[in-house]
Amino acid sequence: MNENQVDLSWLLQQIAAIQSDTDYLHATIQQLAEMGVGESGEAGSPGDLMGQAKAVALGDIVRCRETTNQQLLDIYKRIYVEQFTRTAGKA
């Protein structure tokens, strides 16, 4: 293996790290569960609108993180294809 290649075990560790990194999901779900209805309890009240805005923001955070994870997995997939499937074909 030359200096520009990665080790397969490293690549698999990176994928496993993405797979096991779910703490932010659990934290977001917990925060959403703890959000109550606004102070007045009425739909459309300032407190309710604030709760909705927080829920949207938390959803956006999770969506962005998952997009990043998908992009990382795509990069790792490309590395694998480039280094391990083409190398095997040349052998």
Side-chain angles (χ1 to χ4, degrees):
M1 184 179 333
N2 71 36
E3 63 190 43
N4 293 328
Q5 290 186 321
V6 298
D7 184 56
L8 181 57
S9 65
W10 176 86
L11 190 61
L12 294 174
Q13 287 173 356
Q14 300 311 303
I15 293 170
I18 291 171
Q19 184 179 19
S20 65
D21 181 22
T22 58
D23 290 343
Y24 68 96
L25 288 174
H26 295 291
T28 300
I29 291 167
Q30 183 63 37
Q31 287 176 341
L32 286 172
E34 292 172 1
M35 282 184 187
V37 179
E39 289 179 24
S40 68
E42 297 179 17
S45 69
D48 183 51
L49 294 176
M50 178 73 76
Q52 289 176 13
K54 287 180 181 179
V56 169
L58 290 169
D60 287 345
I61 290 167
V62 171
R63 188 177 308 98
C64 289
R65 178 63 182 149
E66 288 303 309
T67 298
T68 299
N69 286 347
Q70 290 171 7
Q71 292 170 343
L72 283 169
L73 288 170
D74 186 54
I75 290 168
Y76 296 145
K77 177 183 172 184
R78 290 176 191 211
I79 291 170
Y80 177 81
V81 168
E82 189 70 30
Q83 292 188 10
F84 297 102
T85 61
R86 292 191 180 164
T87 303
K90 292 178 184 177

